[in-house]
Amino acid sequence: MESTEPVQLCWTNAVQRFNETLTPGSNKRINILNPGNGHQLCNIRDLLDSAQEAERKCSASRGSIRSFLEAVVKAANRYAAVVDVLVQQQPDIVALVWGAVRLLVNIAAAEVETGQEVRDSLVLIVQHAGRYQEEARLFVKFDRVQQAITGLFVQILNYLVRAKSYFQKPYAVRLAKAGLLGSRPKFQVILASIPAQAASLDREIRTASESAHANHREVQLAHSLVVEKEFALEQAFREDCRGHSRRQIALLTRILAEQDSQNTRGEEMYRMLSRDSPRTFQGGEQDRTSSIQLSSIIQWLRSGSTLSKHVPVREPGTCEWIFDHAAYRSWCQSDYSDCLWISGIPGCGKSVLASYLAERATTETLLTYFFQNSTDRYSTLASPFAATLLKKLCQNTQVVQNSRFPHIIARILPLFNNFESANECPFDRLIGILDSVLEMVPAYTLMVDGLDECSDTNNTELLFTYLRSLGTRSNTRVILLSRNHPSIEDFFGLSYQVQMNQSAVEPDILHFIQQEIARTPKLRALETEILTKAMANSQGMFLWAKLMLGNLKTGLNLKAQRKKLECFPPGLFAVYDQLLEENRYNLDEEEVTLQEEIFCLLVGAIEPLTVSDIATALALDCTTNTVDAEDLILEPKEVILRLCWPLAMVNNERVQLFHMSVKEYLLQHPEGARTNKSTKLRLSLEDSNAFLARKTLSKLTQDAYSASNYSASLLRKHLLTGSFVTEIEEHAREDSVFYDYACLHWHEHVTSLTDPPDVVLVKLHQFLTGNEFVSWSEALFDLKKLIGPDAQVQVRLALQSWVDLLPTRTKKKIPIGSFFILPHQSLNQELKEEGNDTLIPFLPLVRLGGYFNLGGVSREDWQAAYECKKIVAEGYAKLLGGRSPLTLRAKTALLLEYFWQTRFDEAEKELLEVSKIQAEVLGEGIADYYVTLQLLGLAQYYLNMFDESCMTLQHSEEGLARLLGTSNPEHLMALLYHAYALEAKRELDQAYHLYGDILQIWIPLKGEDHPLSLMVLCGLGSVLRKRKEFAQAEGILLRVWGARQRRFTLSNNLSIDSAIQLAILYREMECAGKAVDLLDVISSSSVFQIDFERFCQLSHIRALINFDAGAYDIPRLSLQHLIDQATGANRHRNNRELLWIRLTLSDVLRWHGQLDEASMLFVDLVEFENDTVEGGSPASTSSLDEEPEPPIQLIIAEKALRLVRQAKQTEARNLLHENRLRWTRKRDFWIMQGGPISDTAWMKGPRHANDHTTESRSCVAPLPPQ
C-alpha cells in the first residue's frame, strides 16, 4: 500500500522497518499485502484508538473484587519491606510462608504497575501524535526530517502494538509477563526511545527551518547592501560615518538587522559589531561582554534615531555672511556663553546654513540633529533627539575610553531591556543619561535644526530648558535653527539671535541664481529678467528661487521660458499650486487619483513609509481586502516621484514630503475639491487618517491573518516551549509588506477620526471580533517584544477614550466591550471543534487569563481570569500530567487568582508544592521556579509568616536577578514584597533601602506614575512616617494620592489606601483638620460599601481624631458598633483592623476607669489547644463553651495581641502555648491586598490614653490546669 500523502508515507515506511527489525513474531507484524493477517495497515490515530480500546476492554473486565484485590496488593507491596524486617525476628517459622506470599504480591503488583504505566504512556502519545503528523505534512520537502519522523513512528508503532497485544492477553498471561518475564522493563526501554527520537526530530526541524530561510535572507542581505550604500552617501550630518571603520559598523548593523529581526540582539551580531566598535574593551571575558553590550546598545539607539535629512548642496560663496553678522560675532566674543538662535522663514536656507556651520566647527566633537515634520510623526518627538545624540556619543572614542563610561552602560541597559526601540523610551529617562555622557566630552558643538518642527507637547518645555542650560556651559557651543515662533522666542529670545531676513539672505540668493545660470546656458538669455524677478518676489526664500529655476529649465524655447518666468508667482504656496497644476495636466484620471492617495498616505503617516508599503497600500482593495498583483505599480519609486514631483522625494527607500511647508500647503483649506485634475489639491488630517484607517484595517483583516490555523500557529510559537513556526505563517510573512505598519498604528489613525465613516466602522467591527484580532495581538508580542498584553491594554484604553466622545449612534457600532475577549473565545471554540490538536484550544484561554489580570477593572474581570486559568491548568494537567513545566506554569498562574479571593492559606500550601516539583523537574536554572517562590513569599506575608516570607523572597529575588536581570519587573516585584515583609517585621531601615533600590531602577524606566512606582512610593511613604520623617512622607504620599486620583477613581481601593495612609500621617503630624478633610473626600467611595475592613480603618482613624480632641462617647460607641458587627453569627467578619480597634478602645476605656469593659473586648479571640488528656481522649470543652472566659484568659489574649501588633509573633505564640491556648481564628490576622493596604498596627494611640495600656506588663500568670 503506497501513498504520496506525507504522513501516510512516513507511516508506511515505519511499518516496513518495524516488521523487518523490531518484531520477531508474525502475530505482531503489520501485513501490508494481506490485511487479514496480523495487524491491519492503518494510520497512527487508528492504532492509538485500537490500543486504547484494548485497554478500555481490559479495564472493563476488572470486576469490583479484582479492583479491591489490586488495592490490597498495592498496599501490601508498599509495606512489604517492613514485613521483611519483622520476619527476620523468627525466620524459621514464617520465612517460607512469607516468601511465597511476597512472590505473589510482587507478581500482582508488577502487573498493576505495568498496566498503569502503559495507560499513562498512551495518554502522552495521544497528546503529541497530532504535532508529529503536522510536522510530517509541513516538512515534506526535507528528507532528513521525514526520516526522523519515520524513526519516531517506528518507536511509537512498536510501543502501541505491544501495548495493544499486552491488554488483549488474559489476566493470567499478563501476570506472568509482568511479574516473571519482565514486560515492564521492555515497555520502559521502548518508551525511553520515543523522547530521544523526538529530540532528533526537533534538531532536524531546526536545521530545515534555517535552510528554508536561507534564500529569503540572501535577498534581504542584497537589498540591505543597496540601501546602505545610498545611506552612506549622505554624510553631511552623520559624523559617525567619518572614516572607514565607522562606515563598516553601520553597514554591518543594517545588514544584520534586516537579516533576521528576531536575532538582532544575538551574540553573533555582537561579535561582528565588536570588531569595529571603539577599541576600549580589549581583554578578558568581562571586557568581551562589555564590548557586546556596547554594540547592542548602539544598535538599539540607532533604532530610535531618525532618518538623515536631505540637505541641498551649498552653493560656494553663500552662507559666509554669517561670520560678519553682529550677533554671531558677539556670541563668539562672549566665549559662546549662551545659545545662538538662528531664525528665519520657511525655505530661507536654514538647513544649508546649518550644514555650513557644521563643516566649519572647530571643536573635535560635533553633534547634529534635525527635527523633521515633513517625514513622519516620530521625527517631531523629543526621544529620537536624545537617542540620536547618545548613539553618536557611544561611538566617540573619548567617551568610550572614559573611566565613567561603564556606569553609563549600566544605566542604559535597563532601558535597553525594557523598551524595544529607543524612540519608545520616555524622553526624561534618556535626557539624564545624555547629560551624564556630555559631561565626559571636553568641548563640543551641538547643532539642532528645525526646532519649531518639534511637536512633542509633553516634552517641549523640558527639551527647550535643557538646550538653554547646555548653552550656558563653558565647554559647549549650542546653535539652534528654527522659524520665528512665539514659544521658541520665549525661551531663546534673550540669547544671541541671528535673523535670516531678506536683507541677510538676498545677496546669497542672487549669487546662487547667477552661478546656476552660468552652469545652464539655456538660461543665460534671461539672466537680467530672472534676477529682477528674484529681487521682487523671492522674499528671502532660497527654496522659491530653486523651484523657479527648475521650472524655467523645462521651457522648450526662450518664449516658453519667458512666459513661465512671467507667470511664476510669489510665495511658496502659490508656487506649489502652479507646479501641481502643471504636473496634473499631464496625468490621466487614474494617475491623479493615485497622486492624491500618495499624498494622503504621506500627510498622515505615523512613521516613514517605504516605497513597497505605499505600493501595497495603493493596490490593496478595501472591499475584498486583497492585493491583485496586476494592480501593483511597476517601478513604484519612479512612479511616485513622477506623480508627486516636486513635493515628495525618496530617501533611503522611504518616501517623504520635500519640505515642511509642503505638508502645511496640503493641509490648508481642506474644503477644496480633490478629484478634478484641474483644481488645487487640498487634504485634511481627517481625510488622511480615514484613508489610512481603511487601508490598515483592510490589511489586518486579510484572509491569511483571519485563518484559525495562522492565529493558532502564532499562539503555539509564543506559548509552547520548543514549538515551530508553520509554513502558513511564513507564507503570510512573505506577504507582510505594510502589515507591520498596520499592526503598530491602525488604532492611532482610527482614534484620530472625529466622525468615522461607516466603511471604517464596519471594518473595525470585523477586526475586533475575528481571528485577525488574535493574529494582530500575537504579532504585537513580536513587534514590541512583549511579555504580557500591556500594549493591547493600552490600545483598548485609547479606543475607549475615543468611543466615549462619539455620538451614541456611532458608539453602538463599535464592540469595544468585546475587545480581546470575543475573538479569543471564538478561536478557542473553533479550535476545539476542529479537534486537530487537543492542546492548542487552551492557548487562547491563556491569553485571556493574562488580559483579564492586566486589564481587568472589576471583580467580574478577575473572576473571568480565574475561570480561564482554571480551565487551562486542569486541561494541561489532564493532557500533559501534573509535572509538566507547562502545567506547573499554568498552576502558578491560577494560584495568583487565589489572592484576590483571599485564599491565602490555600495559595501558600499549593505554591509550596508547585515550587518543590519545579525544583525537581526544572532545577533552579529556570525563571518559573523563582516566580512561584515570589508568589509563595507574598502569600506568606499575607498570612503573617514574615520570617518565612523574607527567606523565600530573598531566594526568589536572587534567582530572578541572575536569570532575568535586576531591572526585570518580576525581580522588582520580589523586592517589593520583601520590603513589605521587612516593614511588617519593623525592620524599617532595611525596608527603606529596599524601596529606594526599586525606585532607583524602575522610575528611570517607567516614571513615577507607573502602577508599580506608585506601590513602591506608597510603601516608602509608610516607612518614612514610621521613622517620623514627616515632611518627606507627606511629599511622597501626596504625589501617590494625586497620581492615583488621576489614574483611577475613588471607587478603586488603591486610591483609598493612598488616602488612608495620608490621613494617618496628617494625624501624627498634628494636622487633624487636613486628616478630616481627606477622610470626608473618600467617605462616599463605593469601596466602603463592599469592603468592611477598609471601612473599619476609616472609622478607626476618625475615632482617634475625635479622642484626641477630647470626645469620648461618640467615638467609643462608633468603635464598639464595629466590633459588635463582627461577633456572634457574624464572627466571620472579624478582621485585622478590628483587632487594633479593640486595643484602642481598651486603652480609652481604662483611661476612663472602665476596666471590666476593657477586658471584655478580648472575648472569643483565643481558645484552648486540643491537648489529649490522660487515657488518650481529647479534652472536652463543651462545659467551657457555656461559661464566661476566665479573666486571666482575657489578659493573656490582650497581651498576645499587643505582642502581635509589635511584630512579635513568636513571643505571642509562645505566650499562648505556655498557657495551652491558641488563636481562635488565624484568619483574623491576615493582611489584605492593596496598594499596599495601610499598616494601622503602627499608629499613634489615642492621646492621654497611652500610659494606661497593658503593653508595659512584663509577665502574665499562667492559667490553672484544666
Side-chain angles (χ1 to χ4, degrees), residues 729-996:
E729 181 186 344
E730 288 303 314
H731 172 71
R733 289 200 174 278
E734 290 173 4
D735 189 35
S736 65
V737 177
F738 192 56
Y739 185 72
D740 288 354
Y741 179 92
C743 283
L744 292 170
H745 303 301
W746 68 268
H747 64 284
E748 295 177 85
H749 295 300
V750 169
T751 56
S752 295
L753 300 176
T754 56
D755 185 19
D758 285 342
V759 64
V760 171
L761 295 175
V762 170
K763 289 189 173 297
L764 181 60
H765 187 283
Q766 177 187 348
F767 170 68
L768 291 178
T769 57
N771 288 339
E772 50 266 49
F773 181 95
V774 181
S775 299
W776 162 76
S777 178
E778 293 305 309
L780 216 56
F781 276 92
D782 285 330
L783 291 171
K784 289 183 171 289
K785 298 295 184 290
L786 300 175
I787 298 175
D790 307 66
Q792 292 86 336
V793 170
Q794 292 303 315
V795 171
R796 187 202 71 191
L797 294 175
L799 283 175
Q800 185 65 66
S801 299
W802 172 67
V803 169
D804 290 343
L805 300 175
L806 295 175
T808 302
R809 61 179 177 80
T810 305
K811 291 179 181 178
K812 294 179 180 179
K813 300 177 182 180
I814 304 170
I816 189 65
S818 301
F819 183 91
F820 202 96
I821 302 169
L822 179 59
H824 284 81
Q825 289 176 337
S826 300
L827 180 61
N828 162 255
Q829 187 63 35
E830 186 175 351
L831 293 173
K832 283 198 295 186
E833 292 173 357
E834 290 175 358
N836 295 330
D837 191 320
T838 55
L839 192 63
I840 290 296
F842 292 105
L843 302 187
L845 300 182
V846 174
R847 286 293 190 224
L848 271 177
Y851 173 77
F852 281 123
N853 261 149
L854 187 65
V857 295
S858 65
R859 194 176 185 88
E860 289 74 20
D861 290 338
W862 301 331
Q863 182 64 33
Y866 170 75
E867 297 297 338
C868 289
K869 294 182 178 182
K870 183 179 180 182
I871 293 172
V872 172
E874 292 176 350
Y876 279 7
K878 182 177 180 181
L879 289 175
L880 306 176
R883 298 175 67 85
S884 163
L886 285 175
T887 303
L888 295 171
R889 182 183 297 173
K891 185 66 178 295
T892 300
L894 173 63
L895 294 174
L896 175 63
E897 304 306 312
Y898 282 28
F899 287 78
W900 69 265
Q901 297 174 351
T902 325
R903 298 164 63 183
F904 302 135
D905 51 347
E906 296 175 65
E908 192 270 341
K909 179 180 178 181
E910 295 190 41
L911 285 167
L912 183 61
E913 182 64 26
V914 169
S915 67
K916 290 178 180 178
I917 298 174
Q918 286 176 324
E920 296 172 5
V921 175
L922 303 175
E924 298 191 3
I926 302 297
D928 283 5
Y929 168 67
Y930 297 101
V931 171
T932 303
L933 289 183
Q934 175 210 91
L935 295 178
L936 173 61
L938 180 62
Q940 292 167 336
Y941 161 73
Y942 288 139
L943 293 170
N944 282 251
M945 301 165 62
F946 301 138
D947 291 333
E948 295 89 339
S949 175
C950 286
M951 289 189 292
T952 301
L953 289 167
Q954 184 171 357
H955 188 29
S956 171
E957 64 197 43
E958 289 171 355
L960 291 171
R962 185 179 73 252
L963 296 173
L964 304 181
T966 56
S967 64
N968 184 273
E970 294 290 357
H971 171 250
L972 295 176
M973 291 303 294
L975 291 178
L976 176 62
Y977 301 152
H978 193 180
Y980 285 172
L982 289 170
E983 183 182 354
K985 291 177 64 177
R986 301 202 172 193
E987 297 179 8
L988 298 185
D989 289 344
Q990 293 186 53
Y992 173 82
H993 291 299
L994 210 50
Y995 284 133

Side-chain angles (χ1 to χ4, degrees), residues 71-251:
V72 172
V73 166
K74 288 181 181 179
N77 191 53
R78 186 181 307 120
Y79 300 107
V82 177
V83 179
D84 290 343
V85 174
L86 297 176
V87 167
Q88 292 176 10
Q89 303 301 317
Q90 298 289 336
D92 296 333
I93 302 173
V94 297
L96 184 62
V97 176
W98 170 242
V101 172
R102 180 66 184 272
L103 175 63
L104 294 175
V105 166
N106 285 346
I107 292 173
E111 190 280 331
V112 172
E113 291 169 356
T114 301
Q116 187 59 49
E117 286 184 1
V118 175
R119 292 184 187 95
D120 293 342
S121 301
L122 289 176
V123 173
L124 288 175
I125 293 174
V126 167
Q127 293 163 4
H128 294 286
R131 172 194 166 194
Y132 301 144
Q133 294 181 86
E134 183 70 11
E135 290 170 338
R137 284 191 289 270
L138 292 173
F139 295 92
V140 65
K141 299 178 181 178
F142 298 88
D143 292 338
R144 291 178 63 87
V145 174
Q146 297 297 304
Q147 292 172 8
I149 292 175
T150 298
L152 180 59
F153 280 177
V154 168
Q155 297 303 327
I156 293 175
L157 179 62
N158 190 17
Y159 195 92
L160 293 178
V161 169
R162 295 180 185 278
K164 178 181 177 182
S165 176
Y166 177 83
F167 285 122
Q168 287 178 334
K169 294 185 182 300
Y171 179 64
V173 176
R174 292 203 306 276
L175 281 174
K177 280 183 167 289
L180 301 175
L181 302 180
S183 291
R184 185 181 178 190
K186 293 179 181 178
F187 277 118
Q188 290 174 340
V189 170
I190 299 171
L191 185 62
S193 67
I194 293 178
Q197 288 290 341
S200 175
L201 173 59
D202 287 340
R203 288 193 297 271
E204 293 300 335
I205 287 176
R206 286 194 294 270
T207 303
S209 297
E210 292 171 0
S211 175
H213 293 326
N215 292 337
H216 182 59
R217 288 179 175 174
E218 289 177 5
V219 173
Q220 284 185 315
L221 179 60
H223 173 70
S224 300
L225 288 168
V226 173
V227 171
E228 197 60 29
K229 288 177 182 176
E230 290 183 10
F231 183 75
L233 295 175
E234 300 177 14
Q235 301 180 56
F237 288 88
R238 303 179 66 87
E239 82 286 354
D240 54 350
C241 292
R242 291 175 179 170
H244 171 72
S245 67
R246 291 187 179 181
R247 282 197 300 273
Q248 188 177 4
I249 186 173
L251 177 62

Side-chain angles (χ1 to χ4, degrees), residues 643-661:
L643 295 179
C644 301
W645 183 91
L647 304 188
M649 58 185 293
V650 177
N651 184 19
N652 295 328
E653 288 301 309
R654 297 184 180 271
V655 186
Q656 64 188 74
L657 297 174
F658 177 68
H659 193 264
M660 179 183 175
S661 59

Side-chain angles (χ1 to χ4, degrees), residues 504-515:
V505 177
E506 189 172 83
D508 277 3
I509 294 176
L510 297 178
H511 176 70
F512 163 70
I513 292 173
Q514 289 172 334
Q515 296 302 310

Side-chain angles (χ1 to χ4, degrees), residues 499-507 509 534-540:
Q499 293 188 354
M500 294 182 67
N501 50 31
Q502 187 170 351
S503 62
V505 177
E506 189 172 83
I509 294 176
M535 285 188 290
N537 294 339
S538 69
Q539 301 173 358

Side-chain angles (χ1 to χ4, degrees), residues 53 92 394 404 586 596 676 735 834 1001-1002 1183 1191 1228 1258:
E53 180 62 22
D92 296 333
C394 285
R404 292 176 290 167
N586 299 314
E596 179 189 351
N676 191 322
D735 189 35
E834 290 175 358
I1001 296 172
W1002 190 248
S1183 60
D1228 293 346
S1258 59

